[in-house]
Amino acid sequence: MDLLNVQYLPTSRYASRNPNLRPEQSTDYNILDLYLPESAVPSTPLIVFIHGGAWQSSKPGNFTAVCSALRQRGVGVAAVGYRLSTRSPGEKVSPVRSPAHSQDVGAGVAWLLAATQFGGDSEAAKALNKWNPSSFFVVGHSGTSQFATIPASVWMPKLQGYIGVEGIYNIPLIAKTFPSYSEWFLTGSFGLQDDPNNNEWITGSPSLVKQFNPPLISSPFRAPHLVIHSQEDELVDVAQSKEWYDHLCSFRASLPSVEQEEWTLEYEVTKLGGKHDDILCSDPFYDYVISWIKKRNL
């Protein structure tokens, strides 16, 4: 099946547009690319892929090779775009900042869920109609790995699994590890760290969540988690993924023993190599992810 494209938030009527915004800061980037295999049936796994880019670059169309490679292995892929935190000269903080990115992705996933239930006029919505939302998995890369963890449980009540790849899960920690990142993209995307009225550096860091609230400790959040990180990553250190995995394990340990046994957490840092972006472009990565998903698709 050919690539299907849809704008999940309309550019007029339902969404206000500021004429001073750049295209990547507007609803122009609220797009979704859908890749479905010819052999797809309602129970075929569907990966919700959320691209990285330091919250300030890229879009779904830049990941055609990744999505096509996954589709060739028998799964559907929905690549969800979101507004970006770019800045004009002299601006410290972007007009688009957290939590706008996760809110956008949430709206995209809501569109996907609605399409499975009700269809729609677009070819993408028609193709998804009757798809089983219980076959959905979320894969987030780099900064958006955090979207593939905590928030997704609210969006997708029947999610089958989360996969975070080369993830950033602790914003203050990565700013300390890589001091140049604050000026490069963190301040633009999350606001000033020393602003007493700004808590996005903490709320955007799932590893710093001390207590998960009720929607996040329900069974969807306790769907299987796979945390992937290459030791060759030159942009995000493995400590980010290790801390997140340890945080999840600590939370799991607080559950009753029966529930602990039911919740699968996996941490992979030895089998998959490559630099930060290169890991997404390798057959071993595709095969590993597809194998993990197919074992868990009910």
Side-chain angles (χ1 to χ4, degrees):
M1 182 178 292
D2 293 335
L3 165 66
L4 300 174
N5 178 275
V6 67
Q7 186 150 22
Y8 61 80
L9 286 180
T11 58
S12 61
R13 187 176 181 183
Y14 300 111
S16 61
R17 298 191 68 188
N18 184 334
N20 296 320
L21 294 179
R22 301 177 181 181
E24 72 273 12
Q25 298 171 338
S26 74
T27 52
D28 288 350
Y29 268 51
N30 293 137
I31 53 178
L32 185 153
D33 289 348
L34 189 64
Y35 302 76
L36 301 180
E38 293 290 347
S39 59
V41 296
S43 60
T44 297
L46 188 136
I47 294 173
V48 180
F49 177 75
I50 313 168
H51 69 80
W55 300 280
Q56 65 177 6
S57 66
S58 211
K59 56 185 176 180
N62 294 345
F63 294 86
T64 298
V66 175
C67 297
S68 296
L70 292 169
R71 176 178 60 179
Q72 290 170 4
R73 287 162 170 80
V75 302
V77 183
V80 181
Y82 48 91
R83 290 170 293 161
L84 302 177
S85 294
T86 53
R87 291 172 287 178
S88 298
E91 282 186 326
K92 289 186 176 181
V93 180
S94 172
V96 177
R97 51 171 275 191
S98 178
H101 322 101
S102 59
Q103 290 170 344
D104 286 359
V105 174
V109 175
W111 185 94
L112 286 168
L113 289 172
T116 64
Q117 299 298 311
F118 308 112
D121 295 331
S122 69
E123 289 301 314
K126 291 176 183 177
L128 284 170
N129 192 213
K130 308 301 182 185
W131 202 288
N132 184 357
S134 294
S135 299
F136 281 24
F137 294 78
V138 171
V139 176
H141 175 242
S142 191
T144 65
S145 289
Q146 58 177 268
F147 300 165
T149 53
I150 294 179
S153 64
V154 178
W155 307 328
M156 305 186 68
K158 298 181 179 179
L159 198 87
Q160 290 301 307
Y162 308 92
I163 302 176
V165 185
E166 313 302 290
I168 299 175
Y169 305 98
N170 185 326
I171 305 299
L173 176 60
I174 200 162
K176 182 178 180 180
T177 307
F178 300 92
S180 65
Y181 284 11
S182 292
E183 182 177 352
W184 176 20
F185 62 88
L186 292 175
T187 298
S189 303
F190 292 88
L192 296 171
Q193 185 178 14
D194 57 1
D195 182 351
N197 298 314
N198 176 36
N199 65 350
E200 291 303 324
W201 283 59
I202 303 302
T203 58
S205 301
S207 288
L208 299 180
V209 175
K210 300 299 183 183
Q211 183 175 0
F212 296 109
N213 58 46
L216 303 182
I217 62 173
S218 59
S219 56
F221 181 65
R222 295 203 296 268
H225 279 63
L226 172 59
V227 181
I228 294 175
H229 213 112
S230 166
Q231 298 188 52
E232 301 170 33
D233 191 328
E234 80 285 17
L235 297 178
V236 179
D237 58 318
V238 176
Q240 287 282 325
S241 290
K242 183 62 166 64
E243 182 186 50
W244 172 236
Y245 175 73
D246 288 345
H247 193 54
L248 287 171
C249 289
S250 177
F251 174 62
R252 181 176 61 180
S254 69
L255 299 173
S257 57
V258 174
E259 296 183 31
Q260 291 184 40
E261 294 174 0
E262 294 175 347
W263 190 12
T264 301
L265 302 176
E266 297 184 39
Y267 176 63
E268 177 49 59
V269 295
T270 59
K271 295 180 180 178
L272 300 172
K275 292 187 176 182
H276 185 73
D277 293 322
D278 294 345
I279 189 173
L280 290 178
C281 306
S282 67
D283 287 335
F285 170 77
Y286 303 139
D287 294 339
Y288 192 91
V289 167
I290 294 300
S291 174
W292 190 88
I293 285 175
K294 289 188 173 181
K295 288 178 182 178
R296 288 156 184 84
N297 188 45
L298 302 181

Short mmCIF file of all heavy atoms in Angstrom, two decimals, residues 111-155:
data_model
loop_
_atom_site.label_atom_id
_atom_site.label_comp_id
_atom_site.label_asym_id
_atom_site.label_seq_id
_atom_site.Cartn_x
_atom_site.Cartn_y
_atom_site.Cartn_z
N TRP A 111 -6.27 10.87 16.97
CA TRP A 111 -6.81 10.74 15.61
C TRP A 111 -6.72 9.28 15.15
O TRP A 111 -7.67 8.75 14.55
CB TRP A 111 -6.03 11.65 14.65
CG TRP A 111 -6.61 11.66 13.26
CD1 TRP A 111 -7.51 12.53 12.75
CD2 TRP A 111 -6.32 10.70 12.21
NE1 TRP A 111 -7.83 12.18 11.45
CE2 TRP A 111 -7.12 11.07 11.10
CE3 TRP A 111 -5.50 9.59 12.12
CZ2 TRP A 111 -7.09 10.36 9.91
CZ3 TRP A 111 -5.47 8.87 10.93
CH2 TRP A 111 -6.25 9.26 9.84
N LEU A 112 -5.60 8.63 15.41
CA LEU A 112 -5.43 7.24 15.03
C LEU A 112 -6.50 6.36 15.68
O LEU A 112 -7.12 5.51 15.02
CB LEU A 112 -4.05 6.73 15.43
CG LEU A 112 -2.86 7.20 14.60
CD1 LEU A 112 -1.56 6.84 15.30
CD2 LEU A 112 -2.90 6.58 13.20
N LEU A 113 -6.70 6.56 16.97
CA LEU A 113 -7.69 5.76 17.70
C LEU A 113 -9.09 5.99 17.16
O LEU A 113 -9.88 5.05 16.99
CB LEU A 113 -7.63 6.08 19.19
CG LEU A 113 -6.40 5.58 19.94
CD1 LEU A 113 -6.39 6.14 21.36
CD2 LEU A 113 -6.38 4.06 19.98
N ALA A 114 -9.41 7.26 16.88
CA ALA A 114 -10.74 7.57 16.33
C ALA A 114 -10.92 6.93 14.97
O ALA A 114 -12.00 6.41 14.65
CB ALA A 114 -10.92 9.08 16.25
N ALA A 115 -9.86 6.92 14.16
CA ALA A 115 -9.95 6.33 12.83
C ALA A 115 -10.22 4.83 12.91
O ALA A 115 -10.96 4.28 12.09
CB ALA A 115 -8.68 6.61 12.04
N THR A 116 -9.62 4.15 13.89
CA THR A 116 -9.86 2.71 14.01
C THR A 116 -11.32 2.42 14.36
O THR A 116 -11.86 1.40 13.96
CB THR A 116 -8.96 2.08 15.09
OG1 THR A 116 -9.29 2.61 16.38
CG2 THR A 116 -7.50 2.32 14.80
N GLN A 117 -11.93 3.33 15.09
CA GLN A 117 -13.30 3.10 15.53
C GLN A 117 -14.34 3.62 14.55
O GLN A 117 -15.39 2.98 14.33
CB GLN A 117 -13.52 3.80 16.89
CG GLN A 117 -12.60 3.28 17.99
CD GLN A 117 -12.82 1.80 18.28
OE1 GLN A 117 -13.94 1.36 18.48
NE2 GLN A 117 -11.74 1.03 18.30
N PHE A 118 -14.06 4.77 13.95
CA PHE A 118 -15.10 5.45 13.18
C PHE A 118 -14.75 5.68 11.71
O PHE A 118 -15.61 6.11 10.94
CB PHE A 118 -15.42 6.81 13.82
CG PHE A 118 -15.73 6.72 15.29
CD1 PHE A 118 -14.87 7.26 16.22
CD2 PHE A 118 -16.88 6.07 15.73
CE1 PHE A 118 -15.15 7.17 17.58
CE2 PHE A 118 -17.16 5.97 17.08
CZ PHE A 118 -16.29 6.52 18.01
N GLY A 119 -13.50 5.43 11.32
CA GLY A 119 -13.10 5.69 9.95
C GLY A 119 -13.04 7.18 9.68
O GLY A 119 -12.69 7.97 10.54
N GLY A 120 -13.40 7.59 8.46
CA GLY A 120 -13.37 9.00 8.09
C GLY A 120 -13.30 9.14 6.59
O GLY A 120 -13.36 8.16 5.84
N ASP A 121 -13.17 10.39 6.15
CA ASP A 121 -13.18 10.65 4.71
C ASP A 121 -11.83 10.42 4.05
O ASP A 121 -11.76 10.11 2.86
CB ASP A 121 -13.63 12.10 4.45
CG ASP A 121 -15.07 12.35 4.88
OD1 ASP A 121 -15.86 11.38 4.85
OD2 ASP A 121 -15.39 13.49 5.25
N SER A 122 -10.74 10.59 4.77
CA SER A 122 -9.42 10.45 4.16
C SER A 122 -9.11 8.98 3.90
O SER A 122 -9.65 8.08 4.54
CB SER A 122 -8.34 11.05 5.07
OG SER A 122 -8.18 10.26 6.24
N GLU A 123 -8.20 8.76 2.96
CA GLU A 123 -7.80 7.39 2.65
C GLU A 123 -7.12 6.74 3.86
O GLU A 123 -7.27 5.54 4.10
CB GLU A 123 -6.85 7.38 1.45
CG GLU A 123 -7.52 7.71 0.13
CD GLU A 123 -8.64 6.72 -0.20
OE1 GLU A 123 -8.43 5.50 -0.06
OE2 GLU A 123 -9.73 7.18 -0.57
N ALA A 124 -6.37 7.54 4.62
CA ALA A 124 -5.72 7.00 5.81
C ALA A 124 -6.74 6.53 6.83
O ALA A 124 -6.60 5.45 7.42
CB ALA A 124 -4.80 8.06 6.43
N ALA A 125 -7.77 7.33 7.06
CA ALA A 125 -8.80 6.94 8.03
C ALA A 125 -9.55 5.70 7.57
O ALA A 125 -9.86 4.80 8.36
CB ALA A 125 -9.77 8.10 8.24
N LYS A 126 -9.83 5.62 6.29
CA LYS A 126 -10.53 4.45 5.76
C LYS A 126 -9.67 3.19 5.92
O LYS A 126 -10.18 2.12 6.23
CB LYS A 126 -10.86 4.67 4.29
CG LYS A 126 -11.92 5.74 4.05
CD LYS A 126 -12.13 5.99 2.56
CE LYS A 126 -13.13 7.10 2.31
NZ LYS A 126 -13.28 7.41 0.86
N ALA A 127 -8.36 3.34 5.71
CA ALA A 127 -7.46 2.19 5.83
C ALA A 127 -7.36 1.70 7.27
O ALA A 127 -7.16 0.50 7.51
CB ALA A 127 -6.07 2.57 5.30
N LEU A 128 -7.50 2.60 8.22
CA LEU A 128 -7.38 2.23 9.63
C LEU A 128 -8.69 1.73 10.23
O LEU A 128 -8.68 1.11 11.30
CB LEU A 128 -6.90 3.43 10.45
CG LEU A 128 -5.43 3.78 10.35
CD1 LEU A 128 -5.15 5.12 11.01
CD2 LEU A 128 -4.57 2.69 10.99
N ASN A 129 -9.80 2.01 9.58
CA ASN A 129 -11.09 1.63 10.14
C ASN A 129 -11.14 0.12 10.38
O ASN A 129 -10.74 -0.67 9.54
CB ASN A 129 -12.21 2.05 9.19
CG ASN A 129 -13.58 1.94 9.82
OD1 ASN A 129 -14.56 1.63 9.16
ND2 ASN A 129 -13.68 2.18 11.11
N LYS A 130 -11.57 -0.25 11.56
CA LYS A 130 -11.67 -1.65 12.01
C LYS A 130 -10.32 -2.23 12.46
O LYS A 130 -10.26 -3.39 12.86
CB LYS A 130 -12.28 -2.56 10.93
CG LYS A 130 -13.60 -2.07 10.36
CD LYS A 130 -14.66 -1.91 11.45
CE LYS A 130 -16.00 -1.48 10.84
NZ LYS A 130 -17.02 -1.21 11.88
N TRP A 131 -9.24 -1.42 12.38
CA TRP A 131 -7.96 -1.90 12.91
C TRP A 131 -8.09 -2.08 14.42
O TRP A 131 -8.78 -1.32 15.08
CB TRP A 131 -6.86 -0.88 12.61
CG TRP A 131 -5.46 -1.44 12.61
CD1 TRP A 131 -4.74 -1.84 13.69
CD2 TRP A 131 -4.63 -1.65 11.47
NE1 TRP A 131 -3.50 -2.28 13.30
CE2 TRP A 131 -3.41 -2.18 11.94
CE3 TRP A 131 -4.79 -1.44 10.10
CZ2 TRP A 131 -2.35 -2.49 11.08
CZ3 TRP A 131 -3.76 -1.74 9.26
CH2 TRP A 131 -2.55 -2.27 9.73
N ASN A 132 -7.46 -3.08 14.94
CA ASN A 132 -7.55 -3.36 16.37
C ASN A 132 -6.57 -2.47 17.14
O ASN A 132 -5.36 -2.66 17.04
CB ASN A 132 -7.24 -4.83 16.63
CG ASN A 132 -7.42 -5.21 18.09
OD1 ASN A 132 -7.73 -4.38 18.93
ND2 ASN A 132 -7.23 -6.48 18.39
N PRO A 133 -7.07 -1.49 17.94
CA PRO A 133 -6.14 -0.63 18.68
C PRO A 133 -5.33 -1.39 19.72
O PRO A 133 -4.34 -0.87 20.23
CB PRO A 133 -7.07 0.40 19.33
CG PRO A 133 -8.40 -0.26 19.39
CD PRO A 133 -8.47 -1.15 18.19
N SER A 134 -5.73 -2.62 20.03
CA SER A 134 -4.95 -3.43 20.96
C SER A 134 -3.66 -3.94 20.34
O SER A 134 -2.87 -4.60 21.00
CB SER A 134 -5.78 -4.62 21.45
OG SER A 134 -6.88 -4.19 22.22
N SER A 135 -3.47 -3.64 19.06
CA SER A 135 -2.24 -4.05 18.37
C SER A 135 -1.25 -2.90 18.25
O SER A 135 -0.28 -2.98 17.52
CB SER A 135 -2.57 -4.59 16.97
OG SER A 135 -3.42 -5.71 17.04
N PHE A 136 -1.49 -1.80 18.96
CA PHE A 136 -0.64 -0.61 18.85
C PHE A 136 0.57 -0.69 19.79
O PHE A 136 0.46 -1.10 20.94
CB PHE A 136 -1.43 0.65 19.21
CG PHE A 136 -2.33 1.16 18.12
CD1 PHE A 136 -2.80 0.33 17.12
CD2 PHE A 136 -2.72 2.48 18.10
CE1 PHE A 136 -3.63 0.80 16.12
CE2 PHE A 136 -3.56 2.97 17.12
CZ PHE A 136 -4.01 2.13 16.12
N PHE A 137 1.72 -0.26 19.26
CA PHE A 137 2.95 -0.11 20.03
C PHE A 137 3.47 1.31 19.77
O PHE A 137 3.25 1.87 18.70
CB PHE A 137 4.01 -1.12 19.59
CG PHE A 137 3.66 -2.55 19.90
CD1 PHE A 137 2.76 -3.25 19.11
CD2 PHE A 137 4.24 -3.20 20.98
CE1 PHE A 137 2.43 -4.58 19.39
CE2 PHE A 137 3.93 -4.53 21.26
CZ PHE A 137 3.02 -5.21 20.47
N VAL A 138 4.17 1.88 20.73
CA VAL A 138 4.77 3.20 20.56
C VAL A 138 6.28 3.08 20.58
O VAL A 138 6.85 2.45 21.46
CB VAL A 138 4.31 4.18 21.67
CG1 VAL A 138 5.11 5.47 21.59
CG2 VAL A 138 2.83 4.48 21.53
N VAL A 139 6.93 3.70 19.58
CA VAL A 139 8.39 3.75 19.51
C VAL A 139 8.80 5.22 19.44
O VAL A 139 8.39 5.95 18.54
CB VAL A 139 8.93 3.01 18.27
CG1 VAL A 139 10.45 3.18 18.17
CG2 VAL A 139 8.55 1.54 18.31
N GLY A 140 9.60 5.66 20.41
CA GLY A 140 10.10 7.02 20.42
C GLY A 140 11.60 7.04 20.35
O GLY A 140 12.28 6.21 20.97
N HIS A 141 12.15 7.99 19.58
CA HIS A 141 13.60 8.09 19.42
C HIS A 141 14.11 9.39 20.04
O HIS A 141 13.49 10.44 19.90
CB HIS A 141 13.98 8.05 17.94
CG HIS A 141 15.45 8.27 17.68
ND1 HIS A 141 15.92 9.33 16.94
CD2 HIS A 141 16.54 7.56 18.07
CE1 HIS A 141 17.25 9.26 16.87
NE2 HIS A 141 17.64 8.20 17.55
N SER A 142 15.24 9.31 20.74
CA SER A 142 15.92 10.46 21.30
C SER A 142 15.00 11.17 22.30
O SER A 142 14.48 10.55 23.22
CB SER A 142 16.37 11.40 20.18
OG SER A 142 17.25 12.39 20.66
N GLY A 143 14.78 12.49 22.13
CA GLY A 143 13.97 13.23 23.07
C GLY A 143 12.55 12.72 23.19
O GLY A 143 11.94 12.79 24.25
N THR A 144 12.03 12.16 22.10
CA THR A 144 10.64 11.71 22.14
C THR A 144 10.49 10.32 22.74
O THR A 144 9.38 9.80 22.79
CB THR A 144 10.01 11.73 20.74
OG1 THR A 144 10.67 10.79 19.89
CG2 THR A 144 10.09 13.13 20.13
N SER A 145 11.58 9.72 23.21
CA SER A 145 11.43 8.47 23.96
C SER A 145 10.56 8.68 25.18
O SER A 145 9.86 7.78 25.63
CB SER A 145 12.80 7.94 24.38
OG SER A 145 13.54 7.47 23.28
N GLN A 146 10.59 9.89 25.73
CA GLN A 146 9.73 10.17 26.89
C GLN A 146 8.26 10.14 26.49
O GLN A 146 7.40 9.82 27.30
CB GLN A 146 10.08 11.53 27.49
CG GLN A 146 9.97 12.69 26.53
CD GLN A 146 10.26 14.02 27.19
OE1 GLN A 146 9.36 14.67 27.67
NE2 GLN A 146 11.52 14.41 27.23
N PHE A 147 7.94 10.44 25.21
CA PHE A 147 6.56 10.35 24.75
C PHE A 147 6.13 8.89 24.65
O PHE A 147 4.94 8.58 24.69
CB PHE A 147 6.38 10.99 23.37
CG PHE A 147 6.75 12.44 23.30
CD1 PHE A 147 6.93 13.05 22.07
CD2 PHE A 147 6.92 13.20 24.44
CE1 PHE A 147 7.27 14.40 21.98
CE2 PHE A 147 7.26 14.54 24.37
CZ PHE A 147 7.44 15.14 23.13
N ALA A 148 7.11 8.01 24.49
CA ALA A 148 6.80 6.59 24.34
C ALA A 148 6.72 5.89 25.69
O ALA A 148 6.66 4.68 25.77
CB ALA A 148 7.87 5.90 23.49
N THR A 149 6.68 6.67 26.75
CA THR A 149 6.62 6.08 28.08
C THR A 149 5.43 6.60 28.84
O THR A 149 4.32 6.13 28.67
CB THR A 149 7.94 6.35 28.84
OG1 THR A 149 8.22 7.76 28.83
CG2 THR A 149 9.10 5.63 28.19
N ILE A 150 5.62 7.60 29.66
CA ILE A 150 4.55 8.02 30.56
C ILE A 150 3.30 8.55 29.86
O ILE A 150 2.21 8.04 30.07
CB ILE A 150 5.08 9.06 31.57
CG1 ILE A 150 6.10 8.40 32.49
CG2 ILE A 150 3.96 9.65 32.40
CD1 ILE A 150 6.71 9.32 33.49
N PRO A 151 3.40 9.58 29.00
CA PRO A 151 2.17 10.16 28.49
C PRO A 151 1.34 9.20 27.65
O PRO A 151 0.13 9.28 27.61
CB PRO A 151 2.66 11.34 27.63
CG PRO A 151 4.05 11.61 28.08
CD PRO A 151 4.58 10.27 28.49
N ALA A 152 2.02 8.29 26.96
CA ALA A 152 1.31 7.43 26.01
C ALA A 152 0.26 6.57 26.69
O ALA A 152 -0.72 6.17 26.07
CB ALA A 152 2.30 6.54 25.26
N SER A 153 0.45 6.25 27.97
CA SER A 153 -0.52 5.40 28.65
C SER A 153 -1.87 6.07 28.77
O SER A 153 -2.90 5.42 28.84
CB SER A 153 0.00 5.01 30.04
OG SER A 153 0.12 6.15 30.85
N VAL A 154 -1.86 7.40 28.81
CA VAL A 154 -3.12 8.13 28.87
C VAL A 154 -3.80 8.13 27.52
O VAL A 154 -5.02 8.00 27.40
CB VAL A 154 -2.88 9.58 29.36
CG1 VAL A 154 -4.17 10.36 29.39
CG2 VAL A 154 -2.22 9.56 30.73
N TRP A 155 -3.00 8.27 26.44
CA TRP A 155 -3.57 8.34 25.11
C TRP A 155 -4.12 7.01 24.64
O TRP A 155 -5.12 6.95 23.93
CB TRP A 155 -2.52 8.77 24.09
CG TRP A 155 -1.79 10.02 24.41
CD1 TRP A 155 -2.26 11.09 25.10
CD2 TRP A 155 -0.45 10.33 24.04
NE1 TRP A 155 -1.30 12.05 25.18
CE2 TRP A 155 -0.17 11.61 24.55
CE3 TRP A 155 0.54 9.65 23.35
CZ2 TRP A 155 1.05 12.23 24.37
CZ3 TRP A 155 1.75 10.26 23.17
CH2 TRP A 155 2.00 11.54 23.68
#
